[in-house]
Amino acid sequence: MIQNHKPLSWAFLRWVISQIRPQTTALKLRMIIVIGMVIATIALQFTLPLTLKYIINSLSLSIKGFTTPNVLVLCFGYGMLWIFTRFVTEIREILSYRIFINSVKQVGCNFFDHLLSQPMSFHANRDFGTLTDELKRSQYTLYKASLGFFLN
């Protein structure tokens, strides 16, 4: 356990990463797919404004041979690109859910095991129900923070 380390030491950070890292091969493969989808989403979100800029420039400059059907095709393509970006984002969150939930469960189990290994005087001086409520709240916060940090 990591009892003797400062909260911001390298040993503590290595321990946290070891708790968050997926353990099974299926989860590791899923994590690689999610990382690929993060990169794809960044690329798609980068191309969206460039596509819109191209559409606006082509409308404002009245390029010769640029007809209304061409504009409609560009607008339709922009809409499909936007929908695809949203779709990839949602699929990425669905795939990453199990990874982050398993990590949060693992951290929660380690915390609970640590609490149960404490002497009886520790539990006599503290309200155990409050500690478990804090554990429940921190698990939800850890899941939301990992989603927000890693995926957005």
Side-chain angles (χ1 to χ4, degrees), residues 69-85:
N70 292 347
V71 172
L72 292 176
V73 167
L74 277 176
C75 289
F76 179 75
Y78 175 76
M80 293 307 294
L81 185 64
W82 184 84
I83 289 171
F84 185 67
T85 302

Side-chain angles (χ1 to χ4, degrees), residues 5-25:
H5 296 287
K6 297 178 202 171
L8 294 178
S9 67
W10 286 110
F12 179 75
L13 292 176
R14 277 194 299 270
W15 178 79
V16 168
I17 289 171
S18 73
Q19 298 301 311
I20 293 173
R21 187 179 63 234
Q23 303 300 323
T24 64
T25 306

Side-chain angles (χ1 to χ4, degrees), residues 49-148:
L50 295 176
T51 306
L52 186 61
K53 179 184 178 291
Y54 179 74
I55 292 171
I56 291 171
N57 284 345
S58 61
L59 287 174
S60 64
L61 295 176
S62 57
I63 300 172
K64 187 175 184 175
F66 203 75
T67 61
T68 304
N70 292 347
V71 172
L72 292 176
V73 167
L74 277 176
C75 289
F76 179 75
Y78 175 76
M80 293 307 294
L81 185 64
W82 184 84
I83 289 171
F84 185 67
T85 302
R86 297 295 116 210
F87 177 74
V88 168
T89 302
E90 293 300 319
I91 295 297
R92 183 188 66 192
E93 288 182 11
I94 289 169
L95 288 175
S96 65
Y97 176 78
R98 187 167 171 209
I99 297 168
F100 291 127
I101 286 299
N102 284 345
S103 300
V104 167
K105 279 196 280 189
Q106 184 66 33
V107 169
C109 286
N110 287 344
F111 177 75
F112 200 68
D113 287 343
H114 175 72
L115 281 179
L116 291 177
S117 68
Q118 297 300 317
M120 197 59 170
S121 60
F122 175 83
H123 297 290
N125 295 336
R126 289 162 182 83
D127 185 16
F128 194 70
T130 304
L131 290 175
T132 55
D133 286 343
E134 290 295 326
L135 171 65
K136 184 177 177 183
R137 205 169 337 138
S138 66
Q139 282 181 329
Y140 178 74
T141 304
L142 182 61
Y143 168 70
K144 287 305 229 182
S146 61
L147 273 180

